[in-house]
Amino acid sequence: MKAEYINNHVFITDYDSFDIGDILECGQCFRFEKIEDKHYTYISCGKVIEIKQDVSGKVIDFYPCTKEEFEKIWLDYFDFNRNYKDIKESLAKSDTILADAIDFAGGIRIMNQEFWDCLIAFIISQNKTIPMIKAVIKNIAKAYGTNIVGENYKFPTAEQLIHVTQEELMPCKVGFRAKYIVDAVNKRFSGGLDEKVLSKMDTESLKKKLMEIYGVGVKVADCVLIFSLGRHEVFPTDVWVKRLMQYFYFENKETPIKEIYSFAQDKWGEYAGFAQQYLFHYARVKRIGV
DNA sequence: ATCCAGGATCTCC
DNA sequence: GGAGATCATGGA
C-alpha cells in the first residue's frame, strides 16, 4: 500500500482487498451516504469524509484529509494494517461455498469503529432494516450530537445523552429500543463501559459484560465485539446468517443458532467473523434462502 | 391488509 | 427451560 498526500487529498495505491462499496454497504456500519458508484461520504471520529475509488479501482481518494488525520484515524479504521490476502486464502482453501462468497465480496474489510457509536447503532439495529437504522442514527445525531459541518453531526456521547428520557427519544423513531438506549447511556456514564477496560478483557467475559445492558443479546454483543473491539472470532448470527448457514451447510434444515455458532467457530476459528461478513454480504445481495 | 425487518425480553407452560 | 407473543415503525 502506498499513500500520497496532495492538497488535503490522500491517494492510496498499490493496495489489495478494498472496495469502498462492499465495505460500507455490507452491513457493518450505518453513517454513510452513496454519492455514486464507489463514491461515498462517511461520518465518524468527528470527521466527515468523502471516499472515492476510481473506476479501475486502482486509486482510493480520501478527502478532505491530511496526512496526520489519515495516519491517526483512517489507516487503522479501515484496517489497512491487516493482510486480507492471507485471511481470504486460508478461508477459501477447503470451502468452495466460502470461496464463492469471497470471490463475490473480496473487497470487504472489517472496520474498526468507535465503540460507543457502534454499541448504540447495533442496539437500534434489532428488528429494523438497514435504511431505517441509518435514519434513526441520523435523527439522534442531529437532535443531540455536536455539529461537524453543514448538516452533519457527530453521534452524541453518553454525557450528551445522560438527561434524555425515553419519551424524548421517541421522535427519533427509536421505538421500543428507547429503554435500551437509556440503560446503555446510564451504564456508560457511570463508567461501566470504558473501552480501555473492556479492551483488556477476554472475549467471553467481555461479551457477558455487554449483555448486562438491557436490550443487548448475543447477536448485538457479537456485532459490537467484531466491529469495534477487534474480536474477529465471533460469528454474529442474525436471520440472514441463520438462513444462509442452514441453506449452505445444514441441508436447508431448521438448526438452532447455538449449533450454527459452534459449527462456524470450529470450522473457521479466529477468522469466523471474516467468514461471516463475506457470507452475509453474498447471501443478502443474492437473497439466498429467502 | 398482513408480514417482516442484521432481536431481545417477557410470559406463559 | 423452551416455544410464542410482544415491542414501534415503515416499507413491500
Side-chain angles (χ1 to χ4, degrees):
Chain A
M1 185 206 106
K2 238 171 59 186
E4 270 190 284
Y5 308 95
I6 305 169
N7 293 337
N8 230 13
H9 287 263
V10 178
F11 296 106
I12 305 298
T13 51
D14 293 337
Y15 60 89
D16 71 275
S17 309
F18 188 110
D19 181 294
I20 192 60
D22 287 348
I23 290 171
L24 297 180
E25 310 248 18
C26 74
Q28 62 178 320
C29 63
F30 304 102
R31 301 213 67 192
F32 63 90
E33 297 293 340
K34 184 172 181 173
I35 298 171
E36 56 185 339
D37 278 356
K38 294 178 183 283
H39 186 185
Y40 291 82
T41 59
Y42 186 69
I43 302 176
S44 191
C45 306
K47 308 285 184 187
V48 183
I49 192 163
E50 277 188 41
I51 306 164
K52 181 174 183 174
Q53 239 173 329
D54 69 320
V55 183
S56 67
K58 286 189 177 156
V59 185
I60 315 164
D61 177 5
F62 290 79
Y63 174 82
C65 185
T66 63
K67 178 175 195 285
E68 291 67 33
E69 181 184 329
F70 184 79
E71 289 174 348
K72 189 175 158 215
I73 301 175
W74 305 114
L75 188 68
D76 177 64
Y77 198 97
F78 285 98
D79 216 19
F80 276 110
N81 292 318
R82 190 179 311 278
N83 186 336
Y84 278 76
K85 254 185 192 164
D86 289 353
I87 294 172
K88 292 193 286 189
E89 266 176 38
S90 151
L91 285 174
K93 197 156 39 181
S94 58
D95 188 333
T96 57
I97 296 161
L98 191 48
D100 284 346
I102 290 172
D103 196 42
F104 176 79
I108 290 179
R109 285 172 172 262
I110 295 184
M111 303 155 81
N112 296 297
Q113 300 181 48
E114 294 171 288
F115 165 71
W116 173 247
D117 299 24
C118 186
L119 171 65
I120 302 300
F122 279 96
I123 286 175
I124 291 165
S125 78
Q126 58 186 263
N127 224 43
K128 271 189 176 302
T129 60
I130 289 176
M132 292 165 72
I133 300 164
K134 288 175 67 176
V136 172
I137 292 171
K138 195 192 271 185
N139 292 341
I140 296 176
K142 180 163 185 178
Y144 301 107
T146 306
N147 181 259
I148 306 170
V149 59
E151 276 301 292
N152 302 293
Y153 296 81
K154 294 187 204 177
F155 192 81
T157 63
E159 287 73 19
Q160 289 175 305
L161 291 171
I162 189 64
H163 292 121
V164 180
T165 65
Q166 291 184 38
E167 292 72 29
E168 288 167 337
L169 282 171
M170 295 310 278
C172 297
K173 304 301 180 186
V174 294
F176 62 84
R177 306 155 194 79
K179 51 189 179 292
Y180 303 160
I181 295 172
V182 167
D183 187 56
V185 168
N186 287 332
K187 287 191 166 69
R188 170 78 167 182
F189 186 77
S190 60
L193 293 171
D194 176 7
E195 55 261 53
K196 286 194 190 74
V197 178
L198 299 180
S199 65
K200 291 189 175 59
M201 297 169 70
D202 65 275
T203 302
E204 271 318 299
S205 15
L206 182 45
K207 187 165 177 171
K208 270 189 201 152
K209 183 81 185 165
L210 293 175
M211 288 174 64
E212 288 173 8
I213 302 166
Y214 190 31
V216 175
V218 176
K219 190 271 175 180
V220 169
D222 279 343
C223 285
V224 176
L225 285 169
I226 184 172
F227 297 137
S228 74
L229 294 166
R231 310 302 169 107
H232 300 109
E233 70 271 34
V234 301
F235 194 76
T237 310
D238 68 337
V239 288
W240 283 97
V241 175
K242 182 170 187 291
R243 273 199 300 250
L244 80 87
M245 290 298 287
Q246 287 171 173
Y247 180 85
F248 282 134
Y249 298 102
F250 293 90
E251 298 167 351
N252 218 11
K253 282 207 299 262
E254 181 63 30
T255 310
I257 287 180
K258 273 202 143 180
E259 193 178 333
I260 293 173
Y261 204 107
S262 52
F263 172 87
Q265 289 206 311
D266 290 346
K267 192 169 175 61
W268 297 309
E270 60 176 330
Y271 294 152
F274 295 99
Q276 188 271 3
Q277 207 56 30
Y278 293 125
L279 288 167
F280 174 77
H281 191 51
Y282 180 68
R284 212 165 60 91
V285 174
K286 292 189 172 295
R287 304 193 67 75
I288 285 166
V290 181

